[in-house]
Every structure is written in C-alpha cells, then in structure tokens.
Amino acid sequence: MKNTRSTSLYRRMCKRIPGGVNSPVRAFRAVHEPPLIISRGKGRYVYDIDGNRYVDFIGAWGPAILGHAHPEVVSFVQKTLRGGFGFGVSHPLEYALAEIIADMMPSMEKIRFVNSGTEATMSAIRLARGYTGRKMIVKFDGCYHGHADSLLVKAGSGAATLGVPDSAGIPTDITRNTLSLAFNDVEMVTRAFAAHGRSIACVIVEPVAGNMGVVPATTSFLTALRTVTKKYGAVLIFDEVMSGFRVHPGGAQELYGIYPDITCLGKIIGGGMPVGAFGGKSAIMDSIAPLGPVYQAGTLSGNPLAMAAGLKTLELYRRDRIFQKIESLGIVLDDAVSRINNIGYNRVGGMFTVYFTDRSISNFDDVKQCDTQSFSKYHRELRAHGFLFPPSQFEAAFLSSTHRKSDISAVVRILSDTL
Ligand code: HOZ
C-alpha cells in the first residue's frame, strides 16, 4: 500500500493544524498507524490521495448510510446550490426536512436545526435547564454527547480513546452540576434521583451507545429512566445522533417503544453535511426564543445545502427500504461472528463493534478492559487488506446499503486470522 503523498502532506498539515487533524480520532494514534487523507468517496469505497481504495466502514461516522456520493443526493444538492448557499433567512427546505423527521420520529413535535450534534446536545441541555429552572444534569459513563463543557465528564469516543475523558480547560465549577452514572445501572439512577431528584433538570443518554463502541441500553434501564424523569419532573433527552435511523427507521425510541421528551440528531439528517437538530414536545420546545426565554440561535442553521442533502437522503432511505437492506447484512455479520470464539460483539441495526474480550459488554467498565493492542493489530490487518474501520476500540463501525456480503465475510476472515 503506497503512502508517500499522504505522509508528506500530513507532515505539512502538522505544521499548520494541531496534530495535523481537525478532529483527534483522524490522527489514527490509538492504532499506531499513519493517518489517512481521503480525496473522494463513491458508494462503499473511499480513495486516499495515494490512490489506495478502501471499503469504508467509517461511513463519515454514520451519515453515509446510502454509501458515498449517491447520484440522486448529489444532483439535488447541485440543483439547490445553484440558487445560493445560504441566506441567514428561512428557506422552504427547512420545513420539508422538519416534516419528514417528525413523520419518522413523531415524538419530535417541534424541531430546531443547528449545525452539529454538539450544538444539538448543548442547546437541549440549556433548554431543559431553562424549562425546569433546575441546574443538575445526569449523563452516563462512556456516552459522548459532543464536546460542550458540561458534557465532557467520563466521556467516550475520542476523549476515551486519547485517555482524556474529563478534558483539561473545563473548570470544576461547570461540571459540578453534571452527574455521570454507570450505563445500564438502574440502581444507581434510582439512588441519584432519591438524593437530588428535585434539582435534576434532565437525563441525557445515548439509548444505543455508540461512543464506547456499540453498547445497547437494556429495556429495563430505559424504562427506569423514563419512569424516574416523569416522577421527578425532569426532561428525558435521547441523544440519537448515532442511533437515529441507524438502529430502526424511527430511531432507538421506536425500537424500544420508549419515547423521550427531547431528541438530538446530527450528521445523518444532513446526509453528511454539517447539521444537527433537537426537538420534542411542543410544550418544552416553545420555551426557546423567539417564543420563550431560552436563547439559542445560528446564522448557518437550516442552511439550504445541508437541508437538501438531508432531505434527499431520508427520502431515498424510505423509498429504497435502506434499513431493511442494512439489517439483512447485519444478520449475515452476526452469523459469521458467532462462529468465532472468545470475542465480544454488539450490533444494533447498522452499528456494530467487535470487542477484544471474552466477556459480554454492557457498560464503560467492560469496554475499558478490552485488549486494545489486539484491536490495533486487527485494524492494521483490515487496512492492509483494503478495509477502513474506525481507528479505536471506543468507536462504532457502520454498515451502508452498498456493502456486500463478500465484504462481511472478508472482515470476519481477517478477524479470525488476527486472533
Ligand atoms: N464518535 C465520534 C462521533 N460521534 C467520532 C467522530 C469524531 O470525533 O470526529
């Protein structure tokens, strides 16, 4: 595999951009590999600047559910961009995208678009605090809700990968009101509410966690969250930035039949363009400016190009029964992995993780004891064979409708060889 161009450009990038990257996971440090600089993607493939081709299981961290550069999405975005890039004033596509999302996730009665998942969760927390008039928030160890100050406490994703789950630069004054509890631990949640219930503004959770690898919540855990938040008048927030449309067409909330007050979405509703959204019960959403006292704004929010890419992606997702295709690939994957001993594995819909451990994984402590050296070895082997996977044991891999059964047998064969 050639990498002369990538190596030389990366060296130059390091002089201008911290660590040479604009998001830490892209440095591939956890797997001790040279970073990858992608020039383009098409269908299930991405191509680096040295001309190497990879079958992509990163999928832009979720949104490339139809594969890369789907021709109908590209042509709708092109048509939209001819009319201008953005106006800082409302555009009809904002309404069109809000309608299709609300149709697929009816708990989102009203929706506000933002520009990233981080913005969505940060704004949802402010809304919950403004609506309830309370300070404390509850999150769960290993869940990652973007990089807003109050949420970088025992966080997963890149923060866990780099060993900085509580980032420097965040005064304890800010995180004092954040309680991070063990994921899937009903008992701990019950105790926290018994002690602080009337001060808790919200509980935020990834119902299918994807930022410590894939760890599904148990039904009893989500039921307990729903019950206790109702009892104490706290807002329940589902962060479905990763699970939305990936684990079920109606999101994890539809899969479990447990509905939050507020849902946060990201990436996927922009088909990979910068976008995010939070939405939920009208009674809560109406607390946002201009209707209510909770301030939240954004010049780029709802920009037509992101709305166009997201709208077309969701339309094709429904028309072409994309979830069903992905789920059937997932079943093939389950079957192949089940033949391998002494390995951990979680999959929900189009999200999966192979864990280098022989015990089952249900929370962050379980994930932290995985053998990350063996994970790195597997990652290097995959890359050498032309398969691109997230470069960390603490990240989810993604299936798209363009993957083939032969891709799945190849990655499982490489797994068995690595072991
Ligand atoms: N787990 C992250 C997205 N939810 C990975 C992407 C990044 O940090 O750049």
Side-chain angles (χ1 to χ4, degrees):
M1 211 152 261
K2 291 179 290 174
N3 68 0
T4 43
R5 283 189 179 176
S6 306
T7 307
S8 133
L9 178 56
Y10 181 63
R11 226 175 265 137
R12 278 178 283 143
M13 285 169 92
C14 283
K15 292 194 180 141
R16 196 55 75 198
I17 299 171
V21 291
N22 285 305
S23 196
V25 70
R26 299 179 199 173
F28 282 66
R29 286 203 172 184
V31 289
H32 315 289
E33 287 174 37
L36 187 69
I37 305 175
I38 297 293
S39 58
R40 69 192 174 90
K42 183 76 195 147
R44 67 205 228 275
Y45 294 120
V46 289
Y47 300 82
D48 70 16
I49 59 169
D50 284 288
N52 300 307
R53 189 182 77 175
Y54 304 89
V55 177
D56 181 22
F57 284 87
I58 295 180
W61 302 100
I65 198 158
L66 314 172
H68 294 282
H70 190 290
E72 288 182 68
V73 178
V74 171
S75 94
F76 190 55
V77 171
Q78 277 171 340
K79 188 175 147 217
T80 308
L81 76 79
R82 273 186 226 112
F85 297 170
F87 309 100
V89 174
S90 298
H91 187 280
L93 287 174
E94 294 169 47
Y95 172 68
L97 185 58
E99 273 296 311
I100 193 170
I101 293 172
D103 196 40
M104 295 175 83
M105 286 191 182
S107 77
M108 296 181 80
E109 294 169 6
K110 287 196 177 171
I111 299 170
R112 171 73 49 100
F113 289 111
V114 291
N115 302 290
S116 68
T118 292
E119 247 190 89
T121 54
M122 179 184 89
S123 309
I125 298 280
R126 184 182 308 145
L127 171 61
R129 284 176 161 155
Y131 175 75
T132 57
R134 301 173 181 177
K135 278 193 204 167
M136 290 180 81
I137 61 176
V138 171
K139 71 170 287 288
F140 297 95
D141 304 349
C143 286
Y144 174 77
H145 306 287
H147 62 91
D149 285 356
S150 64
L151 291 165
L152 277 182
V153 179
K154 296 190 183 167
S157 189
T161 305
L162 298 177
V164 285
D166 311 280
S167 169
I170 302 175
T172 41
D173 284 357
I174 290 176
T175 53
R176 200 176 32 220
N177 289 309
T178 304
L179 279 183
S180 192
L181 311 177
F183 190 72
N184 273 334
D185 190 332
V186 174
E187 183 56 42
M188 216 177 195
V189 173
T190 312
R191 271 190 271 122
F193 267 88
H196 308 284
R198 301 284 162 205
S199 308
I200 296 174
C202 63
V203 172
I204 184 165
V205 65
E206 291 181 84
V208 174
N211 286 292
M212 47 176 151
V214 175
V215 185
T218 60
T219 305
S220 56
F221 179 62
L222 292 185
T223 305
L225 297 186
R226 184 61 285 181
T227 308
V228 81
T229 46
K230 262 199 185 133
K231 179 173 169 195
Y232 286 89
V235 174
L236 179 60
I237 304 171
F238 277 6
D239 176 347
E240 296 228 43
V241 167
M242 291 178 82
S243 58
F245 312 105
R246 289 215 140 266
V247 301
H248 187 281
Q253 49 198 270
E254 198 63 51
L255 180 70
Y256 286 87
I258 298 169
Y259 300 91
D261 302 306
I262 299 287
T263 301
C264 297
L265 297 172
K267 331 173 203 280
I268 199 157
I269 56 159
M273 290 241 190
V275 79
F278 61 105
K281 291 200 169 112
S282 299
I284 302 177
M285 292 302 288
D286 287 349
S287 296
I288 303 172
L291 296 181
V294 178
Y295 195 71
Q296 187 282 328
T299 304
L300 298 171
S301 298
N303 96 83
L305 303 186
M307 299 293 104
L311 177 63
K312 189 51 79 179
T313 300
L314 291 183
E315 282 175 356
L316 296 174
Y317 173 88
R318 293 227 272 201
R319 186 195 74 187
D320 297 344
R321 300 175 60 79
I322 295 297
F323 180 75
Q324 286 76 0
K325 287 183 185 161
I326 287 178
E327 181 60 21
S328 53
L329 284 170
I331 291 167
V332 173
L333 179 63
D334 297 347
D335 181 56
V337 177
S338 72
R339 292 163 211 270
I340 296 185
N341 295 324
N342 302 326
I343 201 80
Y345 168 72
N346 285 339
R347 178 188 72 85
V348 188
M351 299 165 60
F352 69 95
T353 304
V354 169
Y355 291 100
F356 285 80
T357 178
D358 53 7
R359 73 186 210 203
S360 64
I361 298 282
S362 61
N363 62 32
F364 197 33
D365 282 342
D366 296 335
V367 179
K368 281 195 288 191
Q369 54 74 42
C370 288
D371 173 4
T372 51
Q373 302 279 4
S374 296
F375 173 84
S376 305
K377 192 170 166 218
Y378 179 45
H379 193 274
R380 284 195 293 275
E381 287 300 317
L382 285 167
R383 188 163 164 187
H385 287 84
F387 293 94
L388 183 60
F389 269 66
S392 164
Q393 178 71 96
F394 300 92
E395 299 285 1
F398 296 96
L399 291 168
S400 83
S401 57
T402 55
H403 284 118
R404 302 207 176 140
K405 287 183 186 166
S406 55
D407 299 328
I408 286 167
S409 14
V411 302
V412 177
R413 198 169 45 245
I414 296 166
L415 174 62
S416 135
D417 291 349
T418 305
L419 288 166

